[in-house]
């Protein structure tokens, strides 16, 4: 009674809470990497590296297509974070 189904009973409750804190910390870290452009730059560098590696090996022009150059998570723009549109700036 009175216990949230998301929070298990007994001694596991403390571990459950720590896991939630760790998950939020990791989520915030990943979001900050996206917001800083680290993921976009890493993916761009990876595309160039694959192209430069495979081009000489195959002897042909290699075109590397990244279907998600910004990664899977789309960080909100600076405008969205401030609750404004670019036209308002």
């Amino acid at each position: 009674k009175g216990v949230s189904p998301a929070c298990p009973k007994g001694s596991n409750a403390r571990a459950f809470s720590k896991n939630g804190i760790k998950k939020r910390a990791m989520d915030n870290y990943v979001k900050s990497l996206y917001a800083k452009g680290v993921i976009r730059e890493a993916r761009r560098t990876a595309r160039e590296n694959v192209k430069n590696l495979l081009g000489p090996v195959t002897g042909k022009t290699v075109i590397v297509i990244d279907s998600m150059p910004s990664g899977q998570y789309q960080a909100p723009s600076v405008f969205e974070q401030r609750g404004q549109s670019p036209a308002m700036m």
Side-chain angles (χ1 to χ4, degrees):
K1 289 182 174 181
V3 176
S4 169
C7 183
K9 285 187 189 180
S11 62
N12 289 336
R14 201 173 317 154
F16 182 81
S17 176
K18 284 183 182 178
N19 288 339
I21 292 168
K22 289 177 185 177
K23 182 178 181 339
R24 280 194 307 273
M26 183 57 80
D27 289 347
N28 288 337
Y29 178 67
V30 170
K31 287 178 184 178
S32 74
L33 290 177
Y34 275 95
K36 292 175 185 175
V38 172
I39 303 301
R40 180 180 282 278
E41 180 62 21
R43 292 178 75 102
R44 187 197 63 72
T45 303
R47 287 191 309 270
E48 288 298 314
N49 287 340
V50 168
K51 184 175 85 171
N52 293 336
L53 262 166
L54 294 179
V57 170
T58 62
K60 298 180 180 180
T61 301
V62 175
I63 299 172
V64 180
I65 298 172
D66 185 354
S67 62
M68 298 179 80
S70 295
Q72 291 186 4
Y73 170 77
Q74 299 297 318
S77 72
V78 173
F79 302 113
E80 292 170 331
Q81 290 173 358
R82 293 179 183 162
Q84 300 172 327
S85 70
M88 295 172 66
M89 299 300 288

